[in-house]
């Protein structure tokens, strides 16, 4: 199993590290445009191998796509992150050109790859990769919901005073400060609905804190987060590589599901060796349906800024 990660920055390196530590891939190639940067990150990570007990071979390359040839899974993390006070959508001007270029270069050398898009604004970048490469929709997957759901579970556990392992919950919709749809009505603590433990007001606060999860960290860190994003990507890569059929909320091209068309947005999907193996249609409450519709309108507006 060969995995390529484009972008050796904060998220790309974190993702490569988690993939290596989980020890399911034979090879990880990290590619960056900055001379020597990916080579340095790869060498540093390889020097963790004996300490952390993994056999994955990690190599770094400067913009040489021939080294990514025949990758099974490719991850795009290249592009600029936001600074405090910015929205993800403001990154489109620079990141669209990068994602278009990177996705087509990857496809030239790995025609059968499954592509995971991380760069922001992620739903629009996933849509762009779809249009730029013409790849089948099951092989282009945007990462956002897996991270947002991890943040939702963190906030729920905090409010419940419960261990995170006791909590389950999912966030669908667009990966943006306003577009996320935390599915509070489906969230549980050890199969008991969280509404049995928390007031409506407290649950609204949990949802609000979840939606600004990325912005909160960006304010604290001065740039956007990387540990949980890297862990979220590595979980998705593992599900595909090991054909686990686990369900993750992912951004995927919709053709009528959830009443939406010609858009990539977060919905629950089954991940396996073919990428997105099934889009899972779950019943939403009226309020969740309305949030999903508004979220889709926001993503469509951002998609309209693309030069396709
Ligand atoms: N979808 C999500 O949930 C999620 C989570 C975290 C970050 N992000 C996004 O991921 C992106 C990366 O974030 P980061 O914190 O790692 O940024 P970073 O600045 O640390 O790393 C980005 C890397 O991309 C490289 N790069 C730029 N153009 C390139 C190109 N054409 N080819 C190859 N490499 C190129 C840069 O040299 C840099 O090393 C940002 O757009 C950020 O908003 C998304
Ligand atoms: O917040 C960001 O800009 C980065 C990422 O999308 C995140 O949610 O951490």
């Amino acid at each position: 199993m060969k995995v390529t990660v484009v972008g050796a920055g904060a998220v790309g390196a974190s993702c490569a590290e988690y993939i290596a530590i989980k020890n399911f891939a034979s090879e990880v190639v990290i590619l960056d445009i900055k001379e020597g940067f990916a080579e340095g990150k790869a060498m540093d990570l390889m020097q963790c191998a004996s300490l952390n007990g993994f056999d994955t071979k990690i190599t770094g390359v400067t913009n040489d796509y021939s080294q990514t040839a025949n990758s099974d899974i490719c991850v795009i993390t290249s592009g600029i992150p936001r600074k405090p006070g910015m929205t993800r959508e403001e990154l489109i001007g620079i990141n669209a050109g990068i994602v278009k270029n990177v996705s087509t270069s990857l496809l030239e050398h790995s025609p059968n790859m499954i592509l995971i898009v991380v760069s922001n604004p992620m739903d629009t970048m996933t849509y762009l990769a779809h249009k730029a490469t013409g790849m089948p929709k099951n092989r282009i997957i945007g990462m956002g919901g897996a991270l947002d759901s991890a943040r939702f579970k963190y906030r729920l556990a905090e409010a419940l005073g419960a261990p995170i392992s006791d909590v389950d919950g999912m966030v669908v919709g667009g990966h943006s400060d306003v577009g996320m749809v935390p599915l509070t009505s489906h969230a549980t603590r050890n199969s008991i609905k969280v509404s049995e433990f928390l007031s409506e007001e407290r649950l609204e606060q949990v949802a609000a804190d979840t939606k600004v999860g990325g912005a909160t960290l960006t304010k604290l860190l001065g740039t956007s987060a990387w540990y949980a994003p890297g862990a979220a990507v590595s979980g998705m890569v593992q599900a595909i590589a090991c054909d686990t059929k686990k369900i993750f909320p992912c951004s995927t091209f919709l053709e009528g599901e959830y009443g939406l068309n010609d858009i990539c947005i977060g919905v629950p999907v089954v991940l396996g060796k073919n990428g997105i193996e099934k889009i899972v249609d779950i019943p939403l409450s009226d309020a969740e349906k309305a949030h999903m519709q508004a979220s889709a309108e926001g993503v469509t507006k951002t998609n309209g800024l693309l030069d396709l």
Side-chain angles (χ1 to χ4, degrees), residues 28-51:
V28 175
V29 175
I30 312 176
L31 181 149
D32 202 283
I33 202 163
K34 198 162 126 194
E35 188 70 41
F37 192 54
E39 287 84 339
K41 288 281 180 107
M43 192 186 290
D44 194 8
L45 284 171
M46 276 308 280
Q47 291 168 2
C48 299
S50 63
L51 297 163

Side-chain angles (χ1 to χ4, degrees), residues 14-95:
S14 162
C15 163
E17 181 181 13
Y18 285 122
I19 291 171
I21 283 178
K22 292 178 181 178
N23 214 12
F24 60 84
S26 49
E27 194 182 351
V28 175
V29 175
I30 312 176
L31 181 149
D32 202 283
I33 202 163
K34 198 162 126 194
E35 188 70 41
F37 192 54
E39 287 84 339
K41 288 281 180 107
M43 192 186 290
D44 194 8
L45 284 171
M46 276 308 280
Q47 291 168 2
C48 299
S50 63
L51 297 163
N52 285 333
F54 63 79
D55 296 315
T56 305
K57 182 181 165 217
I58 308 167
T59 47
V61 295
T62 303
N63 223 25
D64 178 3
Y65 282 87
S66 68
Q67 302 288 321
T68 69
N70 299 318
S71 292
D72 300 287
I73 303 171
C74 297
V75 180
I76 303 182
T77 73
S78 46
I80 54 164
R82 62 175 160 166
K83 295 260 178 271
M86 288 174 76
T87 65
R88 296 175 181 87
E89 288 75 12
E90 287 175 68
L91 305 173
I92 192 172
I94 293 181
N95 288 354

Side-chain angles (χ1 to χ4, degrees), residues 57-165:
K57 182 181 165 217
I58 308 167
T59 47
V61 295
T62 303
N63 223 25
D64 178 3
Y65 282 87
S66 68
Q67 302 288 321
T68 69
N70 299 318
S71 292
D72 300 287
I73 303 171
C74 297
V75 180
I76 303 182
T77 73
S78 46
I80 54 164
R82 62 175 160 166
K83 295 260 178 271
M86 288 174 76
T87 65
R88 296 175 181 87
E89 288 75 12
E90 287 175 68
L91 305 173
I92 192 172
I94 293 181
N95 288 354
I98 294 174
V99 170
K100 189 172 183 180
N101 221 297
V102 169
S103 55
T104 51
S105 303
L106 285 170
L107 185 62
E108 257 174 54
H109 295 86
S110 300
N112 299 317
M113 69 172 172
I114 290 172
L115 182 64
I116 300 180
V117 179
V118 181
S119 312
N120 274 317
M122 182 277 296
D123 298 288
T124 294
M125 294 301 102
T126 307
Y127 183 78
L128 171 62
H130 187 84
K131 297 287 176 195
T133 64
M135 282 166 59
K137 62 177 194 162
N138 61 302
R139 294 205 274 120
I140 301 184
I141 311 167
M143 191 292 286
L147 171 64
D148 302 331
S149 301
R151 289 180 176 152
F152 186 36
K153 287 180 250 190
Y154 164 79
R155 289 298 184 191
L156 279 170
E158 182 183 57
L160 289 161
I164 294 184
S165 58

Side-chain angles (χ1 to χ4, degrees), residues 9 47 82 92 189 209 213 231 233 262-263:
Q47 291 168 2
R82 62 175 160 166
I92 192 172
R189 175 182 181 178
D209 290 344
V233 178
D262 194 33
I263 187 171

